[in-house]
Amino acid sequence: MTLTQLRYIVAIADAGLNITLAADNVHATQSGISKQLKQLEGELGFQVFTRRGKSLDAITPAGSQVLERARSILHEARNIRALAANLREEAHGELSLATTHTQARFVLPEAIAKLKQQYPELGVHIRPQGEGRIIGLFESGEVDLVIVSTSGNAPEGGIAVPLFRWYRRAVVPHGHPLAKLGRPLRIQDLAEYPLVSYESSLQPESSLRRAFNAASLSPRIACTSADADLIKTYVLAGLGVGILAEMAIGAADARELVTLDIDGLLPVCTSWLVLRRDHVLRSYVAQLARLVAPQIDEAELRRVVAGHAEPNWPAPPLWGELQQRGVRRAATRAA
């Protein structure tokens, strides 16, 4: 019995018993996987999968038990490799992460650039996704970690580390009636106009809809996108009032857009780093967490991820506070 054979049967199960797809996922040949499966079943003395003709039909009861233990063995093998790499202080590896377009575009670039300076041989693969798909990619093992935001409870599926909190902003073109109100916006003001926002706004349980419902109102969603830059583009095209994350609004946007404070109208959001449980944390993952959220203690992060401690994270700062700290540090270095 080999780790390769265990990896192949897990790949088959994860591919819905499709050997062709499993072979693609593990970069092997279909014949190679079939041969290894036959050898493993011969050693075990029973079938892991039942057959219907030349196709696999179902996982046998005994096969389910084998797969459960195979996953545990493969998990620990990955931990041993990660531990060895950390002890050797290896600076290379592959890091795959999924996050929203907003985080990928406006939060991560500086952190990833600094990470690459410290780990120049590290390959970083960023997969921007809509909110609904991010955790699914993590749970399926397609990415190593995710950064996702919620306006309520922490995301499930792994160890959720709070990074920072942020508010949403409304944006309108210059000359828009809302830009001339001369007073704080009310939810009733937003209800008078069509809105352009993130795809998550379409969900019945979205915090935007809940805020409107609490005032016995319904948002008029004219257009949605996963990309904040597209939201701004369609606001300028006249489709409606934009609702987007504060991180997505830069100084250059002021040439065409007016940013309106709606902090009291919608709940604050928290961005979370979600990691796998009972893992040996690679050094570059811990460093990425620190680059995005300096308040995180690396030693505590390692203990929690390894299963040796319960989470007791510091309160995440507001995005604006993080930016101000960064400006002060840059000014200090320049002086």
Side-chain angles (χ1 to χ4, degrees):
M1 185 183 304
T2 67
L3 286 176
T4 297
Q5 290 172 337
L6 298 182
R7 187 163 64 97
Y8 284 175
I9 63 170
V10 168
I12 291 171
D14 289 344
L17 309 189
N18 185 323
I19 291 184
T20 302
L21 179 58
D24 289 341
N25 290 341
V26 296
H27 309 292
T29 64
Q30 183 175 343
S31 60
I33 285 188
S34 298
K35 179 181 179 181
Q36 292 295 325
L37 172 60
K38 184 177 181 180
Q39 289 178 353
L40 176 62
E41 289 180 327
E43 181 178 348
L44 294 174
F46 55 79
Q47 288 187 329
V48 177
F49 308 102
T50 60
R51 275 74 167 173
R52 177 176 294 176
K54 294 183 178 181
S55 300
L56 301 182
D57 184 53
I59 301 171
T60 65
S64 295
Q65 297 183 52
V66 171
L67 282 164
E68 180 181 353
R69 287 160 176 77
R71 291 184 190 277
S72 297
I73 292 168
L74 293 172
H75 172 76
E76 286 306 319
R78 286 191 292 269
N79 277 341
I80 291 171
R81 293 190 189 100
L83 175 63
N86 285 342
L87 292 173
R88 293 194 302 267
E89 297 185 351
E90 286 186 359
H92 62 80
E94 300 291 327
L95 176 62
S96 176
L97 67 95
T99 188
T100 63
H101 289 76
T102 294
Q103 302 282 348
R105 168 74 173 81
F106 300 101
V107 174
L108 288 178
E110 182 178 352
I112 296 296
K114 290 180 179 178
L115 186 69
K116 286 288 290 180
Q117 290 174 1
Q118 297 177 41
Y119 297 91
E121 297 181 49
L122 174 66
V124 181
H125 311 287
I126 302 171
R127 297 182 63 174
Q129 302 287 329
E131 290 276 6
R133 292 202 62 224
I134 294 173
I135 292 297
L137 289 174
F138 178 74
E139 291 177 340
S140 68
E142 295 180 58
V143 295
D144 302 311
L145 58 90
V146 299
I147 296 177
V148 67
S149 298
T150 70
S151 60
N153 296 329
E156 299 179 352
I159 296 173
V161 185
L163 300 176
F164 56 87
R165 294 172 296 139
W166 51 274
Y167 289 104
R168 279 162 282 193
R169 298 283 184 262
V171 291
V172 295
H174 286 283
H176 192 280
L178 291 183
K180 304 174 184 178
L181 278 181
R183 60 167 173 78
L185 284 183
R186 298 190 295 257
I187 198 78
Q188 290 81 3
D189 298 320
L190 293 178
E192 294 180 9
Y193 295 92
L195 303 180
V196 184
S197 190
Y198 295 111
E199 292 175 344
S200 57
S201 301
L202 296 173
Q203 299 174 4
E205 69 277 10
S206 75
S207 58
L208 186 144
R209 288 188 178 274
R210 291 200 306 268
F212 274 76
N213 292 341
S216 299
L217 298 168
S218 296
R220 297 160 53 196
I221 308 296
C223 181
T224 63
S225 175
D227 189 327
D229 285 327
L230 283 179
I231 290 174
K232 289 182 279 189
T233 296
Y234 284 97
V235 168
L236 289 171
L239 269 71
V241 176
I243 306 292
L244 70 170
E246 62 176 302
M247 304 89 72
I249 303 171
D253 291 318
R255 291 196 297 265
E256 298 179 301
L257 295 169
V258 177
T259 302
L260 304 174
D261 190 327
I262 53 172
D263 291 358
L265 305 185
L266 301 176
V268 66
C269 296
T270 301
S271 288
W272 307 81
L273 171 67
V274 184
L275 300 167
R276 301 195 189 285
R277 299 182 185 278
D278 302 320
H279 256 57
V280 173
L281 195 67
R282 288 300 302 266
S283 297
Y284 48 73
V285 175
Q287 184 59 24
L288 176 61
R290 290 270 301 147
L291 287 169
V292 177
Q295 79 276 4
I296 292 175
D297 180 79
E298 182 176 336
E300 180 184 7
L301 182 64
R302 289 185 180 280
R303 288 194 297 271
V304 172
V305 171
H308 299 151
E310 290 297 317
N312 185 24
W313 313 117
L318 289 169
W319 172 255
E321 294 172 350
L322 278 179
Q323 295 303 101
Q324 291 171 6
R325 293 176 195 173
V327 169
R328 287 196 293 270
R329 284 195 300 269
T332 300
R333 287 195 298 268

